[in-house]
Amino acid sequence: MDKTQRMQWWRHGRFGMFIHFGLYSPAAGTWQGKDWPGAGEWLLTNAKADPVEYRNTLLSTFNPVKFNAVEWAQIAKDAGMQYVVITTKHHDGFCLWQSELTDYDVASTPFKRDIMKELAQAVRAEGLHMGWYHSIMDWTHPDYLPRREWDSRPADPLSFPRYVQYMHAQLKELLTKYGRIDVLWFDGEWESTWTHDWGKRTDDWVRSLQPQIIVNNRVDTGRAGLAGFASHDGARGDFGTPEQTIPNNGMPGQDWETCMTMNDTWGFKDSDSNWKSSRTLIRMLCDIASKGGNFLLNVGPRGDGSFPPESVQRLKDMGAWLRVNGKSIYGTQASPFPRPLPWGRVTRAGSTLYLHVFDWPAQGTIDLPGLHNRVVSASVIGSDSARATVARMEGGVRVSLAGSAPHSDVSVVELVLEGEPHVEPQHIGAGSDGRVTCSAADAHTTGSIQYETRFHNLGFWTDPTSTATWSIKLPTAGRYAVSVEYSSIPHCAGEIQVTVGAQKLSAVLPARGGWEDFATVQVGLTDIPAAVPVLVEARALTKPGEAFVNLRSVTLAPAK
Ligand code: FHN
């Protein structure tokens, strides 16, 4: 089945539930009486537990008597989620299904029931799609390498192929015993033993078992860290997997899905009460959809099999919002505007734009810079009283909003345009002092680069192919001095390359005292023509995976 057909439901669905559930759930972050820092599902490693002791201790007590697959599936459905992805096996190696390949599985616990079987049936009964998360990394299996450094068990250096054989056999169980599975969400692919070749063979294997299946890019070695996008040609996987982060501009032409926790941990932890608000989660959903991505939002069930009430409430709030505004999310495409707008986000469906207004404007107007189309109609979704009227303004469209916001977190205005959206790119001009400031917030970024609000800078320059670009246009030609404002950490210097039009400039940026310690360095002189757009591009010449710079701005000042 070709990718377009396979991905159709996924691209339309936009919103799914991630579930991290396993032996770590009843442990809730504690081991031998101590609450260990770090994510709940990483307990074995956080506590540097002996894998065999971990297994024997927790296996004998796992009994989630409140587990109710129908209830889990209904909560996902009511939240407006279109698919569910659950951990069949996380890094600790425990199998949440009845596996013929090991006794380190749910059949060996007091609970015994096949959680995967019950959940798959319930999810499909609600009309949702079912996905399996499966960890390549396995801290317990005797053939997995590398061992944890505190794991004293002997290791056969030739065992890894045997481990892959075991993993493939388990994937066959998971893809032949439980009916149609729509997503295989691999993880734990970052250790040295997992290679592009193993990734290709595993990708081919799972697709041979269920040809319609969608597989993420963590089956292979192409994920560029938490940024989640392919970092080498030929990398397998149907979609990129940014984790705990939302790409600055999405990734045009690539399918991608941000996975995110509601607090800070994937697996349940008693001590983690850092819950994101429902408003934050609804706005994240709008932000992600406006960039053409999917949102896989995590629930970490408690050890008894119930969802934390904090998760349930947030999902109820998201479902209530989606019941009114869902058409602005499901089946939409990315915003036609090159960058997020100050008042909110935009999604698109053909000739219709959905304006996700985060803060209903006090002055009653929001601007759509560069929009050339005539607006055929404007309305406020979910309100009989609020009104939206439009008027042309210099270089765009101004929307006037009257009446109160229909939703305190995000209100949606629907604009029907004449024809396909046509947005004129915006160019940065010179200020009254003649200087042109290309700021982090105005950058169009690719790859690993992320905008960081703390210091209003661009961070995560961990991939030398990632770029930040700006388009500038000046009324008069002239010579300009180009400088960068950046921060760095001690002993961490590096070279930055700034291209202005066709001219490449570069400079070594000396190490600084910390990410909050900003300085300005001149990188060279350049001549700018008048009245034509000129592209400014910044690139950090870093080694993949290393970061030596946070960039706050590129400035062009008239040369004296
Ligand atoms: O190590 C895992 C982590 O426990 C969690 O499962 C996340 C979810 O995407 N993935 C890995 C970290 O990247």
Side-chain angles (χ1 to χ4, degrees), residues 296-367:
L296 187 65
L297 184 56
N298 184 71
V299 176
R302 298 188 292 196
D304 64 5
S306 65
F307 281 0
E310 296 85 350
S311 301
V312 173
Q313 186 53 56
R314 284 153 180 79
L315 291 172
K316 276 184 183 161
D317 294 343
M318 295 183 84
W321 185 86
L322 279 164
R323 274 188 288 281
V324 174
N325 300 289
K327 67 177 176 178
S328 73
I329 300 291
Y330 302 127
T332 60
Q333 288 81 46
S335 168
F337 297 92
R339 269 183 297 285
L341 295 160
W343 44 263
R345 298 294 183 266
V346 178
T347 56
R348 173 194 165 196
S351 296
T352 299
L353 297 184
Y354 295 103
L355 315 184
H356 295 104
V357 184
F358 288 1
D359 300 307
W360 200 253
Q363 84 288 6
T365 63
I366 55 176
D367 290 347

Side-chain angles (χ1 to χ4, degrees), residues 478-497:
R479 169 154 293 199
Y480 286 78
V482 182
S483 61
V484 297
E485 187 186 9
Y486 80 100
S487 69
S488 183
I489 52 178
H491 320 301
C492 203
E495 185 176 356
I496 193 163
Q497 179 180 293

Side-chain angles (χ1 to χ4, degrees), residues 144-159:
Y144 181 82
L145 300 173
R147 285 273 193 275
R148 303 313 94 192
E149 79 250 12
W150 62 89
D151 182 349
S152 56
R153 292 176 298 163
D156 167 0
L158 302 177
S159 66

